Amino acid sequence: MEVPGIDVLLTGHQHRSISGVYNNVAVTMPSSWGKKVGRIELTLDNSDGKWKVVSKKAELLDSKTVESDKEVLALVQDYEDKVQKWLDQPVGTAKGDFYVYNPLKVRLADHPLIEFVNTVQQIYSGVKISSTALFNNDIKGWKSGPITLRDINGVYIYPNTLKVLRVTGKDIKDAIEKSADYFVYKNGKADVNKSWVEPKSRHYNYDMWEGINYIIDVEKPVGERFVWLEYEGKPVKMDKEYDIVLNNYREGGGGGYSMFAGKPVVKEVMMEVSELMADYIMEHKVIEAKVDHNWYVATDVMYNVKSGDTLFKLGRMYNVNPYAIAKWNNIKNPDLIFIGQKLIIYKPIISNN
């Protein structure tokens, strides 16, 4: 806007809705997915033999209310019909729901849709640790029954490919802490940090992992929220190297994940993730909705052991694995706890039941 001689800026990519005249420059940014159309009107004057811009107007039009150009539609109609037919092809069947009823809940605990995407990434990369995201709050997944290519492309909406990186345990921890900033916890309720949705939504930068066990405690300060991190039943060592699979955007440090930028690339899977998902479903024909509950977002409880308490009773009370309680509190024998003993328990914000 400070560069002289510019009258109009037609912008995009950031998915924001912007229209107006700023510092005498007419600017539009038409949201995303064709929802809006930017319209800029310039009034020109040539009364003295030299063209001048005398007024500017910028606005956004709703695509639903703007009449389509019939000539252009006629030119592309055949291609459009073929694409729609292709998208409606069933490629397999879902046994159980992979449906997103509440996107916040998907980001609070393991969910079948996210587990499925991570499973596909693990299998086609040959790597045990994987991360992915629910890219926006409009993604719905699919319910029990036929799965179409439209369903798949409606879940993985970006043309990402996969990269396998060699990183340290500290890199993984730092990435989880980055994602944990997504939440605020007030008045007994977890919600989305405003900085993640203003001035634009960045839900696609909140990652969820498979192949590791971890807990985010939202009652702790930002930067100190990871409270448990295991790989194959053992604590992740900060200085040890691990291979992880993630998309090419995140691999380059996209979304503020600078801990991944410049790390060694062990392997590349050059097919788009949506294609890998379709191939997996076609190969298996039926996929079952399931989760292994390897991660969740929690609040912490300090519990004083009472007469008659056992870890198994406390596990049922707080909906957590009793053996996990033993690990959190360095209890060697899960069958042996003492009256008055203080135990830290990480209680899931949403139930696994």
Side-chain angles (χ1 to χ4, degrees):
M1 301 253 190
E2 296 178 358
V3 178
I6 294 177
D7 295 302
V8 173
L9 280 177
L10 302 176
T11 69
H13 188 67
Q14 291 295 319
H15 294 191
R16 296 173 63 187
S17 296
I18 298 173
S19 64
V21 178
Y22 308 97
N23 293 340
N24 203 34
V25 179
V27 181
T28 61
M29 183 182 292
S31 185
S32 60
W33 308 109
K35 296 172 187 172
K36 305 283 185 181
V37 176
R39 176 189 174 99
I40 290 178
E41 291 184 13
L42 303 179
T43 302
L44 304 178
D45 178 64
N46 191 29
S47 58
D48 61 357
K50 185 177 180 181
W51 288 107
K52 296 179 181 178
V53 179
V54 295
S55 69
K56 302 169 184 177
K57 179 183 176 182
E59 61 181 329
L60 293 181
L61 307 177
D62 192 324
S63 296
K64 293 179 180 178
T65 62
V66 176
E67 186 176 353
S68 301
D69 187 305
K70 292 182 175 58
E71 185 178 352
V72 173
L73 283 180
L75 289 171
V76 300
Q77 193 63 56
D78 184 50
Y79 300 102
E80 171 71 7
D81 292 343
K82 289 177 180 178
V83 168
Q84 296 305 323
K85 184 178 179 181
W86 177 80
L87 286 171
D88 285 331
Q89 290 182 80
V91 294
T93 303
K95 184 178 179 181
D97 282 355
F98 293 76
Y99 195 76
V100 176
Y101 293 95
N102 183 326
L104 179 61
K105 286 187 175 181
V106 172
R107 299 183 181 103
L108 287 170
D110 207 4
H111 184 275
L113 183 64
I114 301 302
E115 178 139 328
F116 169 72
V117 177
N118 271 322
T119 297
V120 169
Q121 293 186 171
Q122 289 171 313
I123 287 172
Y124 285 99
S125 68
V127 173
K128 294 181 179 180
I129 304 175
S130 171
S131 73
T132 191
L134 182 68
F135 296 123
N136 64 47
N137 286 350
D138 296 324
I139 291 171
K140 294 302 180 185
W142 51 80
K143 295 185 179 181
S144 187
I147 307 167
T148 66
L149 289 173
R150 187 185 302 277
D151 294 326
I152 294 168
N153 284 277
V155 167
Y156 212 99
I157 58 178
Y158 299 122
N160 293 131
T161 57
L162 296 177
K163 298 285 186 77
V164 174
L165 294 187
R166 185 153 293 157
V167 302
T168 65
K170 184 178 185 302
D171 293 327
I172 297 173
K173 185 214 87 162
D174 290 345
I176 292 172
E177 289 287 7
K178 169 70 179 174
S179 288
D181 177 60
Y182 180 82
F183 299 105
V184 292
Y185 187 73
K186 292 182 180 179
N187 302 318
K189 182 181 177 182
D191 208 341
V192 182
N193 187 336
K194 282 188 177 181
S195 68
W196 284 70
V197 293
E198 296 178 1
K200 60 169 286 188
S201 295
R202 295 183 292 112
H203 302 295
Y204 51 83
N205 283 332
Y206 174 79
D207 287 344
M208 293 160 278
W209 294 71
E210 191 62 37
I212 53 175
N213 298 322
Y214 67 99
I215 299 170
I216 293 171
D217 183 349
V218 291
E219 288 193 290
K220 295 193 178 299
V222 170
E224 302 174 18
R225 287 181 163 179
F226 113 92
V227 291
W228 192 253
L229 182 56
E230 277 189 334
Y231 174 64
E232 295 185 333
K234 297 179 181 180
V236 169
K237 295 182 179 180
M238 295 297 100
D239 58 350
K240 185 177 178 180
E241 290 187 326
Y242 301 86
D243 287 351
I244 65 171
V245 59
L246 64 178
N247 68 44
N248 59 305
Y249 171 70
R250 190 71 78 237
E251 170 266 334
Y257 287 79
S258 57
M259 69 290 297
F260 296 143
K263 290 299 164 70
V265 177
V266 177
K267 182 179 180 181
E268 299 183 53
V269 182
M270 296 310 295
M271 285 181 66
E272 294 181 12
V273 179
S274 57
E275 291 184 68
L276 298 176
M277 291 165 62
D279 284 355
Y280 181 91
I281 294 170
M282 285 189 284
E283 180 182 345
H284 290 79
K285 297 182 173 58
V286 177
I287 60 169
E288 186 175 354
K290 58 185 179 180
V291 291
D292 58 8
H293 304 297
N294 68 297
W295 71 273
Y296 62 88
V297 178
T299 57
D300 54 82
V301 177
M302 186 60 71
Y303 185 84
N304 289 319
V305 176
K306 302 177 181 62
S307 177
D309 282 340
T310 66
L311 290 187
F312 297 92
K313 178 181 175 181
L314 296 180
R316 290 191 298 271
M317 183 186 305
Y318 289 104
N319 192 34
V320 297
N321 187 316
Y323 294 102
I325 301 176
K327 285 185 176 181
W328 301 333
N329 294 277
N330 296 314
I331 296 173
K332 304 295 185 184
N333 183 353
D335 295 318
L336 189 62
I337 56 176
F338 305 96
I339 295 173
Q341 187 175 1
K342 292 184 177 181
L343 302 177
I344 185 73
I345 297 175
Y346 298 110
K347 178 184 176 183
I349 288 179
I350 61 172
S351 172
N352 289 333
N353 297 328

